[in-house]
Amino acid sequence: MSVKKETGAAGKISGSAEIRDEMLRKYPAKVARRRAKQIVVNKVEQAEQVPEILANTRTIPGILTMRGCAYAGCKGVVLGPTRDILQITHGPIGCGFYSWLTRRNQTRPKSDSLPNYMPYALSTDMQEEEIIFGGEKKLKKAIEEAVELFHPKAIGIFATCPVGLIGDDIHSAAREMEEKYPDINIFAFSCEGYKGVSQSAGHHIANNKVFSDVVGQKELPKEGEFRFNILGEYNIGGDAFEIERIIDACGMTLHSTFSGNSEYDEFASAHTADLNVVMCHRSINYMADMMEKKYGIPWFKINFIGAQACAKSLRKIAAYFGDEKLMERVETLIAGEMVEVERVRTEIAARCKGKTAMLFVGGSRAHHYQELFKEIGMTTMSAGYEFGHRDDYEGRKVLPSITVDADTRNIEELTVEADPARYRPRKNEAALAGLQDKDLRLGDYEGMMAEMKDNALIIDDLNHHEAEILLERYKPDVFCAGIKEKYVIQKSGVPLKQLHSYDYSGPYAGFKGAINFYREIDRLVNSKIFSYIKAPWDKNPELAGSYVWNK
Ligand code: CFM
């Protein structure tokens, strides 16, 4: 059975409940009961009410998950894109090596003389000897060596699984080294891979440490009007360069980005900006909340993925600052940029209209990229996060009802209070209330499900078995995921677009990025090449095995 034809021009989705049942049928009863809570048929009711989904819980052992580890979320994701914090992985060499630039986060120092450590992968390269006798000595030596070579402003130390298992105290090593080098800010992250159920734990650990040890360390406010920070933008494939171009053209001042194309000093003085806008809610909502409490900086959610979403986000930022001239400049810019966007979009939409997509990515892109597909007339049949929480699916309104389990309790919640000297409300009560009318949704995020069609299948922590059924039943025109999924999906005859690393392309953010994306999707979904592929497992008999013991 294929439900593809049933989507029709109106983009209605049907058959989802049956497909869900088929996915669950193969599982043992206990596993099926659990997965049933993580596979949800979407239904959007009044006030953005959507069904409840189970998320941010352990992957069931034996299931082939798409997830990564806490170290990846901390070192790779949140800190990785900063070019002048020297980052040392304390662990065996694999962790440092495999997290070395594979995410394609780019950077561009403001001048050639400024440091950029991103091309380096620094690791203590733990051996058996350190696993047995402890690795703190080697870590301190590595820091000394790194200081000799690079003289950085700041050093971040990142723990891998064995570090926690053998009990190395990386924090005291950091303190000791900071006493030796008082002009270098040295801090450590207890982001052992096993610290949480996914990379999401690593985001939280990274947010905590950057907030407590970096933000507020320097008073270096940037010159310029309308100064704000972007939280949760990581400059994959050059996205930040396009976003910076747009912000400059509007005459606004981007103070710091956490952490695409960023520098240590920008983090350290981020508390001097007047607004935080949050792009990836999952990875950095903690920072937004903590900066609001301590320094009085309001935040709201924006999205620069999709030409319309980008325009809307710019309008929201301009409305927040409330300056007539700024609002005019933003409108002029949008009008100018949309000429080329519309020319390309209309041409491509004619070929892509009615086609279907599926997105299974991280903790925010499965939502954000639906905008781009919508713009060229494509329907998202099914989507899900690898490690999103319920609020990323259902919206922040469910935050009070999320049960905190032991895995989450493992990660420290910082107690944050208003800074006695530096807390400064950016707007008075009346002004904030006025802004709520402008649909800025301060401190809120509506989540992915409210913006998706009824009957779309929402699947948390998708696995290989379920992906196969999605392909067979829905026959999507394009599947969006990552490198681990890419070749299995493509061998099945469906093109896969990597939405983590963007394959070898980008940017996809902003107006120019939207054009890049439309063009690539057009080439993928309208190419015949994938229909000629015959999967190796369809050509050759399957190798079946059985497990026998005590025979
Ligand atoms: Fe945020 Fe990201 Fe994502 Fe993410 Fe990621 Fe990424 Fe992602 Mo890969 S921070 S949650 S941990 S938007 S690395 S840039 S693409 S899984 S959807």
Side-chain angles (χ1 to χ4, degrees):
M1 172 195 75
S2 160
V3 296
K4 188 181 173 183
K5 301 280 172 302
E6 296 165 37
T7 62
K12 276 224 166 68
I13 304 171
S14 57
S16 307
E18 294 75 41
I19 293 172
R20 175 177 179 273
D21 290 346
E22 187 182 344
M23 286 174 178
L24 296 174
R25 216 170 294 140
K26 265 241 163 123
Y27 292 128
K30 209 173 143 196
V31 177
R33 270 202 301 280
R34 223 176 120 86
R35 284 306 291 161
K37 295 183 192 156
Q38 290 176 283
I39 308 173
V40 169
V41 178
N42 197 36
K43 184 154 181 53
V44 188
E45 290 176 285
Q46 290 225 318
E48 297 176 352
Q49 283 305 318
V50 291
E52 182 176 331
I53 189 163
L54 180 71
N56 191 33
T57 55
R58 292 186 187 187
T59 299
I60 299 158
I63 278 182
L64 284 182
T65 173
M66 298 158 74
R67 284 173 166 176
C69 69
Y71 163 82
C74 182
K75 192 264 183 189
V77 172
V78 179
L79 273 296
T82 327
R83 62 178 162 260
D84 62 352
I85 297 177
L86 197 78
Q87 310 192 8
I88 303 178
T89 296
H90 187 33
I93 196 64
C95 309
F97 184 79
Y98 288 105
S99 59
W100 183 23
L101 293 182
T102 44
R103 186 163 168 247
R104 296 190 71 244
N105 43 247
Q106 302 182 0
T107 202
R108 195 182 280 158
K110 290 177 188 118
S111 83
D112 289 345
S113 60
L114 289 167
N116 173 16
Y117 307 129
M118 266 169 45
Y120 299 95
L122 287 88
S123 168
T124 53
D125 185 20
M126 280 175 113
Q127 304 291 319
E128 268 175 30
E129 193 185 318
E130 284 87 42
I131 302 291
I132 297 164
F133 299 107
E136 285 170 34
K137 243 203 265 163
K138 197 172 190 187
L139 172 62
K140 285 184 251 179
K141 242 186 118 227
I143 296 170
E144 284 166 351
E145 197 182 326
V147 171
E148 289 280 304
L149 282 169
F150 297 102
H151 308 286
K153 285 180 188 172
I155 299 177
I157 301 154
F158 299 87
T160 57
C161 294
V163 171
L165 296 175
I166 64 172
D168 270 2
D169 188 349
I170 53 172
H171 302 284
S172 75
R175 270 195 305 276
E176 199 184 314
M177 287 292 108
E178 211 173 45
E179 276 159 29
K180 186 165 177 188
Y181 305 107
D183 52 348
I184 305 177
N185 188 356
I186 305 176
F187 39 89
F189 299 85
S190 288
C191 56
E192 286 87 350
Y194 60 75
K195 266 290 162 71
V197 302
S198 70
Q199 49 269 67
S200 167
H203 301 148
H204 197 167
I205 294 162
N207 278 233
N208 285 353
K209 195 48 114 185
V210 171
F211 180 74
S212 66
D213 282 44
V214 182
V215 174
Q217 294 298 313
K218 292 196 176 182
E219 299 297 328
L220 285 172
K222 277 191 188 168
E223 300 275 322
E225 284 184 298
F226 317 118
R227 296 169 332 108
F228 67 100
N229 305 314
I230 300 179
L231 308 189
E233 199 299 313
Y234 300 99
N235 201 15
I236 313 300
D239 276 352
F241 303 143
E242 165 68 354
I243 294 169
E244 288 168 14
R245 176 187 76 84
I246 292 168
I247 292 168
D248 278 353
C250 293
M252 300 190 281
T253 310
L254 178 56
H255 191 286
S256 351
T257 301
F258 289 72
S259 58
N261 198 30
S262 64
E263 284 176 359
Y264 172 76
D265 283 355
E266 294 169 341
F267 286 1
S269 51
H271 64 292
T272 63
D274 293 320
L275 167 69
N276 282 331
V277 294
V278 173
M279 176 101 173
C280 168
H281 173 265
R282 181 64 270 132
S283 62
I284 209 135
N285 70 90
Y286 323 93
M287 179 68 80
D289 276 339
M290 293 189 289
M291 283 178 77
E292 181 163 30
K293 277 192 198 132
K294 185 165 178 184
Y295 301 108
I297 307 176
W299 71 268
F300 54 79
K301 175 83 176 62
I302 49 97
N303 173 23
F304 289 120
I305 303 294
Q308 293 300 339
C310 180
K312 187 178 166 198
S313 299
L314 292 171
R315 288 184 177 120
K316 279 168 79 169
I317 300 171
Y320 170 85
F321 288 111
D323 181 276
E324 289 296 329
K325 286 220 174 83
L326 172 63
M327 290 191 242
E328 263 171 44
R329 279 202 302 275
V330 163
E331 289 308 328
T332 313
L333 176 111
I334 294 171
E337 298 281 335
M338 285 309 277
V339 176
E340 180 65 3
V341 170
E342 272 306 297
R343 191 186 67 75
V344 179
R345 192 196 65 78
T346 343
E347 182 206 323
I348 285 172
R351 287 191 293 271
C352 293
K353 202 165 183 293
K355 294 197 185 286
T356 57
M358 287 182 182
L359 299 86
F360 291 92
V361 207
S364 75
R365 294 189 167 183
H367 180 193
H368 290 162
Y369 280 76
Q370 292 186 30
E371 297 283 342
L372 284 163
F373 284 114
K374 236 181 263 166
E375 288 174 356
I376 50 172
M378 290 178 62
T379 300
T380 302
M381 307 290 286
S382 182
Y385 297 127
E386 288 169 44
F387 51 77
H389 299 197
R390 273 184 65 201
D391 38 322
D392 303 300
Y393 287 103
E394 302 170 53
R396 280 178 74 93
K397 59 185 175 297
V398 302
L399 277 176
S401 60
I402 294 181
T403 34
V404 181
D405 63 6
D407 289 310
T408 305
R409 225 171 281 125
N410 252 341
I411 306 155
E412 195 187 3
E413 274 295 336
L414 300 185
T415 321
V416 182
E417 279 163 11
D419 186 298
R422 295 184 291 179
Y423 181 89
R424 180 168 59 85
R426 297 331 200 245
K427 303 252 174 198
N428 62 31
E429 292 288 324
L432 284 177
L435 285 174
Q436 288 297 34
D437 297 343
K438 294 205 169 113
D439 204 25
L440 294 195
R441 300 185 71 145
L442 290 162
D444 194 18
Y445 172 42
E446 77 275 30
M448 173 170 81
M449 288 164 77
E451 292 201 332
M452 287 187 68
K453 289 191 187 252
D454 280 354
N455 293 323
L457 261 192
I458 316 293
I459 308 179
D460 183 60
D461 189 17
L462 180 82
N463 60 50
H464 185 94
H465 152 70
E466 292 157 4
E468 267 185 357
I469 294 177
L470 284 178
L471 289 185
E472 276 167 30
R473 297 297 170 236
Y474 283 123
K475 304 211 184 318
D477 293 293
V478 65
F479 196 101
C480 301
I483 190 67
K484 299 196 287 295
E485 295 75 46
K486 187 173 176 85
Y487 298 102
V488 173
I489 306 267
Q490 292 201 157
K491 283 176 186 176
S492 310
V494 174
L496 184 140
K497 179 69 207 164
Q498 286 194 66
L499 283 190
H500 300 259
S501 71
Y502 297 169
D503 293 297
Y504 312 98
S505 181
Y508 297 144
F511 301 105
K512 295 213 157 91
I515 294 173
N516 287 340
F517 196 79
Y518 303 155
R519 288 201 167 121
E520 275 184 48
I521 294 304
D522 180 28
R523 283 197 291 267
L524 281 174
V525 302
N526 288 309
S527 156
K528 286 209 175 68
I529 193 100
F530 294 95
S531 64
Y532 298 134
I533 295 171
K534 190 107 182 88
W537 52 86
D538 282 341
K539 277 188 284 194
N540 301 314
E542 193 182 347
L543 272 182
S546 58
Y547 192 63
V548 182
W549 66 95
N550 285 346
K551 209 177 175 185

